[in-house]
């Protein structure tokens, strides 16, 4: 995982464009800055949830690597690839574990990719932080995706 300089710094005067479903358009970049720009641009209630997800991931996995690719934050382990991605949709946030089929319990939402499993967070949902942290820790121990 290359630690290139971030290209994702949003212009100070302009808010990022929201793509279909309200997903922020953030330039590809590595490190915390582009991920924080994405989180800040998440519309409405999603930004607060995004901040909490990011905090929980960083607390669970010190030294976690971050990037924004394809307008989505990715989290991974140095030299091991990406284990988790986040994406905004109109009515929910999707949290995808790229080796989710190997997690216990398996996250509930299937994907087109046979190994990937997700869960969705809607506006009035209560995040099960204990379960989320367990999945994050498990996922960080598995081989990640090379994207």
């Amino acid at each position: 995982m290359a630690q290139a300089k971030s290209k994702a710094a949003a212009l100070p005067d302009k808010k990022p464009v929201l793509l279909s479903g309200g997903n922020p358009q953030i330039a590809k970049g590595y490190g915390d800055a582009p991920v924080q720009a994405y989180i800040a641009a998440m519309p409405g209630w999603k930004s607060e949830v995004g901040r909490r997800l990011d905090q929980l991931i960083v607390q669970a996995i010190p030294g976690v690597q971050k990037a924004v690719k394809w307008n989505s934050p990715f989290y991974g382990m140095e030299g091991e690839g990406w284990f988790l991605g986040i994406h905004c949709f109109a009515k929910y946030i999707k949290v995808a574990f790229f080796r989710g089929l190997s997690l216990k319990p398996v996250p509930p939402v299937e994907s087109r990719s046979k190994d990937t499993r997700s869960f969705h967070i809607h506006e009035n949902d209560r995040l099960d932080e204990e379960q989320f942290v367990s999945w994050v820790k498990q996922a960080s121990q598995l081989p990640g995706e090379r994207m």
Side-chain angles (χ1 to χ4, degrees):
M1 225 176 297
Q3 283 291 29
K5 296 247 183 207
S6 171
K7 298 179 201 170
L11 296 175
D13 303 3
K14 294 186 178 183
K15 289 187 172 196
V17 172
L18 295 180
L19 302 171
S20 65
N23 195 52
Q25 183 177 27
I26 301 294
K28 178 181 177 179
Y30 294 88
D32 188 53
V35 171
Q36 295 309 317
Y38 179 95
I39 291 168
M42 292 169 81
W45 62 270
K46 295 172 189 164
S47 185
E48 182 179 332
V49 173
R51 271 191 295 283
R52 186 62 184 147
L53 293 171
D54 183 70
Q55 288 172 344
L56 291 168
I57 294 165
V58 169
Q59 288 170 358
I61 312 297
V64 69
Q65 303 296 300
K66 301 181 187 183
V68 170
K69 296 171 166 249
W70 303 286
N71 300 307
S72 296
F74 284 78
Y75 295 81
M77 302 303 294
E78 182 68 40
E80 297 297 322
W82 307 106
F83 62 83
L84 179 154
I86 298 171
H87 194 84
C88 284
F89 287 90
K91 296 185 180 188
Y92 61 92
I93 299 169
K94 174 182 178 178
V95 179
F97 292 95
F98 303 124
R99 299 281 183 251
L101 200 56
S102 298
L103 303 180
K104 303 285 187 262
V106 174
V109 181
E110 293 182 12
S111 173
R112 284 181 248 167
S113 169
K114 85 173 175 92
D115 289 336
T116 301
R117 293 297 290 242
S118 305
F119 74 97
H120 299 164
I121 304 168
H122 297 84
E123 184 171 8
N124 295 315
D125 289 350
R126 186 187 73 74
L127 175 62
D128 183 342
E129 292 185 0
E130 186 177 329
Q131 181 60 73
F132 177 68
V133 168
S134 174
W135 281 333
V136 167
K137 288 179 178 180
Q138 291 176 61
S140 73
Q141 300 299 310
L142 299 169
E145 287 291 319
R146 308 270 182 193
M147 298 182 219

